Amino acid sequence: MSVARVVVVPLGTCLGPPVSSKILKYCFSNYLRRKVVGSLTNLSISMLFNDSKPLYSSGDNPVVLEAGRRYVGRISAIDEDTWLLDTFSSLGPDFRCSGSYGDLAISVEEVEVVPMSSLKLDLPEVFKIVFRTPTILSSKLMCPPTLADKVKPMHKLIPQASLIFSHLLRTWNTFAPPELKIGKQSEWAPYLLGRQADITLVEIDYNIKPETVVIGRDSQGKLREVRGFRGWVIYRSTAPRKLHEIYSKLLALAQLVGVGRSRGIGLGHVTIETPTHNTPTQ
């Protein structure tokens, strides 16, 4: 897979879209090769970040990009082909993008090719998942396959471990080459891994709040809003070594492409950290 780090500098102060990832999507739309399998996509386009703050609207606050300020974003593609590197290399390091979102100077600072075979974190027993943008996890991710067509999906406002790892395994096995797929290739595999995650990952501290994000307007001009959660959770893993290694691979993927619904427009942006403060014990 490939990961591009992109810097956007507005040449004049301008209003952006409610999710700032759409600026990158607009400027690179002619160059991105999007694959969609079911509800999953190989592309992830992050929000633009002002230092550590992602730019998006919760309804009342418009997204404003200040002239001359550096905003940083990321485009990731899960693909064996290195087309992202080749495409961005052909564009050159700098170019201009002008249109609906103003006049922008764009620079591609780095494109890194990361083989999926090397994706793995040095994941400690106690680790922290930080949800930097609103994250949307569907209850249907943990619906047994035999009931999938009979259950209405609902969005969960807590980061249940089973939903996180069920989604990540679906994403990994959908786009990984055959030799790198994890576990038995069965429609039950994400559900079973999710059940194991709920049993072997214990929440020992958290700070989570629900948050609404505007993702656009419908055909009648009404705001389209979705509700997810932001914050962090500290988990203690009691998983056997092989299962813990699977968690480390899937979380390495999550750091590059996100987790949950609409990660293609920057929702579900996560980082994995080692807690630095004293945490409760169990």
Side-chain angles (χ1 to χ4, degrees), residues 145-165:
T146 52
L147 297 177
D149 295 333
K150 303 175 184 178
V151 174
K152 179 182 178 180
M154 303 290 287
H155 294 163
K156 302 279 282 187
L157 293 180
I158 55 174
Q160 190 172 327
S162 57
L163 301 178
I164 294 170
F165 286 94

Side-chain angles (χ1 to χ4, degrees), residues 98-148:
S98 301
S100 305
Y101 307 126
D103 197 9
L104 309 168
I106 309 290
S107 60
V108 180
E109 290 203 332
E110 179 185 33
V111 182
E112 182 182 8
V113 176
V114 185
M116 288 191 74
S117 58
S118 70
L119 280 181
K120 184 179 180 181
L121 298 178
D122 184 11
L123 191 67
E125 177 187 343
V126 176
F127 60 91
K128 182 178 185 179
I129 303 180
V130 182
F131 303 92
R132 299 200 174 277
T133 61
T135 301
I136 303 171
L137 294 171
S138 169
S139 59
K140 199 168 183 178
L141 287 166
M142 281 307 293
C143 182
T146 52
L147 297 177

Side-chain angles (χ1 to χ4, degrees), residues 34 66 127 153 276:
R34 186 169 183 255
E66 298 178 15
F127 60 91
T276 56

